[in-house]
């Protein structure tokens, strides 16, 4: 295992080095939070794919393949569909807004007053997303070093917090690009073909497994529909995803770079399901489907390759964790704390804002690590986060982008009613039930339509300013001209 350990240690040291490099580049708020809004197609595509494909997509995707066969790809597949929809239909408009958070977009569209409440909902979502990603370190370090769960969470979480605090989005962008390459090599180019060969090829897999393992809809239509509601729509509105869109050099980069990343996600989804199916042939009686990834890596891969593939799993977890962490800190600082203190966004110098955001990343990072140590049920926590996000924020966000008659009163009522409905229904039906997101989303939609039509239309001046921002005529000064990142 010495070679495997060396690969992992070199990888982790490289992440910290990227953080140090990013610290020297992130000299303004724009540089720190959105990488100066100047990523080119290659870096944008790689980093976007890295953030959406986390531990749930890698370890969880293989586990679903182990449990359901090829139809286990649907969870990650719906993530890819969401990213494709965002990129093709909305990303160009989002990139032209030149904002930092989803709540700022809501304020621009509705004329203020929507940001604080939506910010609290978005903060809860990004916090729990970061927590669930951080917990995944325990599983990976347990395979590597037989490490105590708490120590593993502190070690992995501290590295992510360190490089994120040092360089902000620049550090996260650089590390995510490395993580994208490591995942591509480790999972797609190494683990996938080795797993198929070890299982005897597709013919042997079909001979040893029930036919439903090769049914594209074997996981069930209701499950697929729920995945679409939670993950496809969740991709359209999450702060962690939007903050990456804000890093694009221009709207063309956001559209086509995101399309490439979404297509990559579809391939990754199928690969995870095939690896899981192969693991079912090799280890038919594992205690839990989530053990499939670690077991096939530990038992079937040669020395060195095993370390690289485990580094790929670590990369998947770190990319999602760091993206969620900076999103959580950005929302906490810009949408909640600044509003509560009554501080205008333009009232402080750029260097002071960088320091403030560093402090918030550090504080949120400590909170994430502490919560991850205390939390037991990861699936329930992530379900609560996505239910609140989709049930509370999907309608006012998409309504603001698509329907000019939507009003601030409709948006606020939609957030409150949808959020409370989701919470109440989870208490009634159970956290993992499908009904909360179904009925919560419906309640949010009806409330938005009724209240918007019953209240005065949004002021014409607000809508005119909104259209100006959508057209790319932003009042925000761009960062100093430097060569664009490719």
């Amino acid at each position: 295992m010495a070679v495997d350990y060396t690969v992992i240690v070199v990888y982790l040291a490289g992440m910290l080095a990227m953080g140090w490099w990013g610290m020297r580049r992130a000299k303004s708020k724009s540089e720190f939070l959105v990488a100066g809004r100047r990523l080119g197609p290659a870096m944008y595509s790689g980093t976007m794919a890295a953030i959406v494909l986390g531990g749930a997509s890698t370890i969880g995707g293989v586990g679903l393949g182990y449990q359901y066969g090829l139809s286990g790809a649907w969870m990650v597949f719906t993530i890819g569909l969401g990213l494709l929809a965002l990129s093709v239909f909305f990303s160009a408009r989002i990139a032209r807004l030149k904002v930092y958070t989803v709540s700022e977009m809501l304020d621009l569209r509705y004329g203020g007053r929507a940001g604080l409440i939506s910010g609290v909902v978005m903060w809860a979502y990004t916090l729990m997303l970061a927590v669930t990603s951080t917990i995944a370190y325990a599983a990976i370090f347990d395979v590597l070093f037989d490490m105590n769960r708490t120590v593993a969470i502190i070690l992995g979480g501290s590295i992510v917090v360190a490089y994120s605090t040092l360089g902000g989005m620049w550090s996260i962008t650089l590390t995510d690009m490395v993580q994208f390459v490591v995942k591509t090599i480790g999972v797609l180019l190494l683990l996938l073909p080795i797993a198929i060969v070890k299982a005897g090829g597709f013919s042997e897999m079909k001979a040893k497994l029930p036919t439903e393992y090769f049914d594209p809809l074997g996981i069930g239509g209701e499950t697929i529909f729920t995945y679409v509601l939670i993950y496809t729509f969740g991709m359209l509105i999450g702060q962690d995803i939007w903050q990456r869109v804000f890093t694009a050099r221009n709207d063309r980069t956001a559209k086509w770079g995101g399309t490439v990343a979404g297509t990559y996600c579809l391939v990754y989804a199928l690969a995870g399901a095939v690896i899981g199916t192969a693991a079912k042939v090799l280890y038919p009686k594992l205690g839990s489907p989530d053990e499939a990834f670690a077991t096939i890596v530990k038992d079937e891969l040669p020395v060195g390759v095993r370390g690289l593939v485990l580094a790929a799993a670590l990369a998947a977890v770190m990319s999602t964790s760091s993206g969620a962490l900076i999103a959580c800190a950005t929302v906490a600082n810009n949408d909640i704390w600044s509003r509560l203190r009554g501080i205008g966004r333009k009232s402080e110098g750029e260097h002071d804002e960088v320091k403030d955001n560093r402090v918030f990343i550090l504080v949120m990072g400590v909170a994430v690590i502490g919560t991850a140590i205390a939390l037991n049920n990861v699936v329930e926590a992530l379900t609560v986060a996505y239910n609140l996000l989709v049930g509370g924020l999907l309608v006012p966000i998409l309504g603001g982008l698509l329907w000019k008659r939507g009003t601030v009163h409709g948006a606020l009522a939609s957030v409150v009613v949808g959020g409370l409905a989701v919470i109440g229904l989870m208490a009634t039906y159970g956290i993992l039930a499908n009904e909360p997101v179904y009925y919560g989303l419906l309640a949010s939609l009806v409330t938005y339509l009724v209240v918007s039509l019953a209240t005065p239309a949004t002021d014409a001046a607000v809508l005119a300013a909104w259209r100006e921002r959508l057209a790319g005529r932003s009042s925000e000064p761009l960062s100093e001209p430097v060569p664009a990142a490719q």
Side-chain angles (χ1 to χ4, degrees), residues 272-297:
V274 171
I275 293 168
T277 304
K280 184 67 175 179
V281 173
L282 296 169
Y283 313 101
K285 296 183 179 181
L286 290 179
S288 166
D290 287 339
E291 296 176 9
F293 179 87
T295 302
I296 196 169
V297 169

Tab-separated table of all heavy atoms in Angstrom, residues 272-297:
chain	number	residue	atom	x	y	z
A	272	GLY	N	-20.654	4.674	-13.903
A	272	GLY	CA	-20.870	4.276	-12.510
A	272	GLY	C	-21.811	3.095	-12.392
A	272	GLY	O	-21.578	2.167	-11.606
A	273	ALA	N	-22.890	3.095	-13.193
A	273	ALA	CA	-23.844	1.997	-13.148
A	273	ALA	C	-23.216	0.689	-13.639
A	273	ALA	O	-23.465	-0.381	-13.071
A	273	ALA	CB	-25.070	2.341	-13.994
A	274	VAL	N	-22.399	0.765	-14.674
A	274	VAL	CA	-21.730	-0.439	-15.195
A	274	VAL	C	-20.739	-0.985	-14.170
A	274	VAL	O	-20.660	-2.203	-13.944
A	274	VAL	CB	-21.020	-0.133	-16.529
A	274	VAL	CG1	-20.148	-1.313	-16.958
A	274	VAL	CG2	-22.046	0.183	-17.612
A	275	ILE	N	-19.979	-0.095	-13.519
A	275	ILE	CA	-19.032	-0.537	-12.478
A	275	ILE	C	-19.785	-1.227	-11.347
A	275	ILE	O	-19.375	-2.283	-10.841
A	275	ILE	CB	-18.218	0.664	-11.954
A	275	ILE	CG1	-17.290	1.197	-13.047
A	275	ILE	CG2	-17.405	0.260	-10.718
A	275	ILE	CD1	-16.674	2.550	-12.727
A	276	GLY	N	-20.914	-0.637	-10.935
A	276	GLY	CA	-21.722	-1.245	-9.877
A	276	GLY	C	-22.275	-2.600	-10.284
A	276	GLY	O	-22.326	-3.535	-9.469
A	277	THR	N	-22.699	-2.717	-11.531
A	277	THR	CA	-23.214	-4.002	-12.027
A	277	THR	C	-22.119	-5.057	-12.029
A	277	THR	O	-22.349	-6.222	-11.651
A	277	THR	CB	-23.779	-3.817	-13.452
A	277	THR	OG1	-24.774	-2.785	-13.447
A	277	THR	CG2	-24.402	-5.106	-13.955
A	278	ALA	N	-20.916	-4.662	-12.441
A	278	ALA	CA	-19.777	-5.591	-12.406
A	278	ALA	C	-19.469	-6.022	-10.976
A	278	ALA	O	-19.160	-7.193	-10.703
A	278	ALA	CB	-18.554	-4.940	-13.041
A	279	ALA	N	-19.572	-5.069	-10.038
A	279	ALA	CA	-19.316	-5.398	-8.628
A	279	ALA	C	-20.344	-6.398	-8.102
A	279	ALA	O	-20.020	-7.246	-7.261
A	279	ALA	CB	-19.354	-4.120	-7.789
A	280	LYS	N	-21.568	-6.322	-8.589
A	280	LYS	CA	-22.605	-7.268	-8.163
A	280	LYS	C	-22.252	-8.686	-8.588
A	280	LYS	O	-22.521	-9.663	-7.862
A	280	LYS	CB	-23.957	-6.866	-8.769
A	280	LYS	CG	-25.120	-7.732	-8.321
A	280	LYS	CD	-25.422	-7.563	-6.831
A	280	LYS	CE	-26.656	-8.343	-6.426
A	280	LYS	NZ	-26.948	-8.208	-4.969
A	281	VAL	N	-21.632	-8.832	-9.763
A	281	VAL	CA	-21.187	-10.150	-10.229
A	281	VAL	C	-20.050	-10.658	-9.346
A	281	VAL	O	-20.023	-11.829	-8.952
A	281	VAL	CB	-20.731	-10.068	-11.702
A	281	VAL	CG1	-20.095	-11.381	-12.145
A	281	VAL	CG2	-21.907	-9.708	-12.602
A	282	LEU	N	-19.112	-9.774	-9.017
A	282	LEU	CA	-17.932	-10.169	-8.256
A	282	LEU	C	-18.229	-10.369	-6.775
A	282	LEU	O	-17.654	-11.257	-6.137
A	282	LEU	CB	-16.843	-9.102	-8.427
A	282	LEU	CG	-16.296	-8.930	-9.849
A	282	LEU	CD1	-15.444	-7.669	-9.940
A	282	LEU	CD2	-15.467	-10.152	-10.248
A	283	TYR	N	-19.114	-9.548	-6.210
A	283	TYR	CA	-19.413	-9.598	-4.768
A	283	TYR	C	-20.931	-9.546	-4.585
A	283	TYR	O	-21.499	-8.494	-4.258
A	283	TYR	CB	-18.763	-8.408	-4.045
A	283	TYR	CG	-17.334	-8.187	-4.431
A	283	TYR	CD1	-16.984	-7.191	-5.349
A	283	TYR	CD2	-16.307	-8.961	-3.895
A	283	TYR	CE1	-15.669	-6.984	-5.715
A	283	TYR	CE2	-14.994	-8.764	-4.261
A	283	TYR	CZ	-14.683	-7.772	-5.175
A	283	TYR	OH	-13.378	-7.577	-5.543
A	284	PRO	N	-21.617	-10.648	-4.784
A	284	PRO	CA	-23.085	-10.632	-4.774
A	284	PRO	C	-23.726	-10.389	-3.409
A	284	PRO	O	-24.917	-10.100	-3.345
A	284	PRO	CB	-23.450	-12.026	-5.304
A	284	PRO	CG	-22.253	-12.877	-5.021
A	284	PRO	CD	-21.067	-11.979	-5.121
A	285	LYS	N	-22.970	-10.485	-2.321
A	285	LYS	CA	-23.587	-10.401	-0.996
A	285	LYS	C	-22.933	-9.364	-0.094
A	285	LYS	O	-22.662	-9.613	1.077
A	285	LYS	CB	-23.559	-11.771	-0.316
A	285	LYS	CG	-24.387	-12.825	-1.041
A	285	LYS	CD	-24.388	-14.150	-0.304
A	285	LYS	CE	-25.241	-15.186	-1.041
A	285	LYS	NZ	-25.268	-16.490	-0.329
A	286	LEU	N	-22.665	-8.192	-0.619
A	286	LEU	CA	-22.136	-7.110	0.212
A	286	LEU	C	-23.192	-6.644	1.202
A	286	LEU	O	-24.398	-6.708	0.928
A	286	LEU	CB	-21.702	-5.927	-0.662
A	286	LEU	CG	-20.458	-6.120	-1.538
A	286	LEU	CD1	-20.193	-4.865	-2.364
A	286	LEU	CD2	-19.235	-6.455	-0.697
A	287	GLY	N	-22.731	-6.150	2.344
A	287	GLY	CA	-23.668	-5.700	3.364
A	287	GLY	C	-24.470	-4.486	2.940
A	287	GLY	O	-25.627	-4.325	3.324
A	288	SER	N	-23.868	-3.597	2.150
A	288	SER	CA	-24.539	-2.376	1.699
A	288	SER	C	-24.092	-2.068	0.281
A	288	SER	O	-22.912	-2.259	-0.058
A	288	SER	CB	-24.193	-1.203	2.626
A	288	SER	OG	-24.558	0.038	2.044
A	289	PRO	N	-24.993	-1.564	-0.582
A	289	PRO	CA	-24.595	-1.188	-1.944
A	289	PRO	C	-23.477	-0.151	-1.981
A	289	PRO	O	-22.662	-0.149	-2.906
A	289	PRO	CB	-25.886	-0.626	-2.546
A	289	PRO	CG	-26.985	-1.284	-1.782
A	289	PRO	CD	-26.454	-1.431	-0.387
A	290	ASP	N	-23.446	0.735	-0.975
A	290	ASP	CA	-22.423	1.780	-0.955
A	290	ASP	C	-21.013	1.230	-0.714
A	290	ASP	O	-20.032	1.948	-0.856
A	290	ASP	CB	-22.747	2.832	0.107
A	290	ASP	CG	-23.914	3.718	-0.312
A	290	ASP	OD1	-24.192	3.787	-1.531
A	290	ASP	OD2	-24.548	4.333	0.563
A	291	GLU	N	-20.911	-0.048	-0.332
A	291	GLU	CA	-19.599	-0.669	-0.159
A	291	GLU	C	-18.995	-1.125	-1.490
A	291	GLU	O	-17.821	-1.496	-1.553
A	291	GLU	CB	-19.711	-1.883	0.773
A	291	GLU	CG	-20.136	-1.550	2.200
A	291	GLU	CD	-20.327	-2.802	3.037
A	291	GLU	OE1	-19.960	-3.906	2.549
A	291	GLU	OE2	-20.849	-2.698	4.163
A	292	ALA	N	-19.793	-1.098	-2.547
A	292	ALA	CA	-19.361	-1.669	-3.828
A	292	ALA	C	-18.128	-0.967	-4.376
A	292	ALA	O	-17.171	-1.617	-4.825
A	292	ALA	CB	-20.505	-1.607	-4.840
A	293	PHE	N	-18.129	0.367	-4.349
A	293	PHE	CA	-17.002	1.106	-4.923
A	293	PHE	C	-15.702	0.771	-4.199
A	293	PHE	O	-14.704	0.398	-4.829
A	293	PHE	CB	-17.278	2.612	-4.855
A	293	PHE	CG	-16.159	3.449	-5.405
A	293	PHE	CD1	-16.100	3.752	-6.758
A	293	PHE	CD2	-15.151	3.938	-4.578
A	293	PHE	CE1	-15.060	4.515	-7.281
A	293	PHE	CE2	-14.117	4.696	-5.079
A	293	PHE	CZ	-14.071	4.980	-6.439
A	294	ALA	N	-15.703	0.921	-2.882
A	294	ALA	CA	-14.478	0.694	-2.114
A	294	ALA	C	-14.008	-0.753	-2.231
A	294	ALA	O	-12.802	-1.017	-2.329
A	294	ALA	CB	-14.710	1.054	-0.645
A	295	THR	N	-14.953	-1.701	-2.267
A	295	THR	CA	-14.582	-3.120	-2.318
A	295	THR	C	-13.917	-3.482	-3.638
A	295	THR	O	-12.868	-4.142	-3.657
A	295	THR	CB	-15.834	-3.996	-2.110
A	295	THR	OG1	-16.440	-3.660	-0.862
A	295	THR	CG2	-15.459	-5.467	-2.112
A	296	ILE	N	-14.500	-3.052	-4.738
A	296	ILE	CA	-13.926	-3.413	-6.038
A	296	ILE	C	-12.588	-2.723	-6.259
A	296	ILE	O	-11.674	-3.282	-6.859
A	296	ILE	CB	-14.918	-3.090	-7.189
A	296	ILE	CG1	-14.491	-3.820	-8.464
A	296	ILE	CG2	-15.039	-1.593	-7.425
A	296	ILE	CD1	-15.538	-3.774	-9.565
A	297	VAL	N	-12.438	-1.509	-5.711
A	297	VAL	CA	-11.151	-0.803	-5.821
A	297	VAL	C	-10.080	-1.519	-5.009
A	297	VAL	O	-8.968	-1.778	-5.495
A	297	VAL	CB	-11.301	0.661	-5.349
A	297	VAL	CG1	-9.928	1.315	-5.198
A	297	VAL	CG2	-12.141	1.450	-6.338
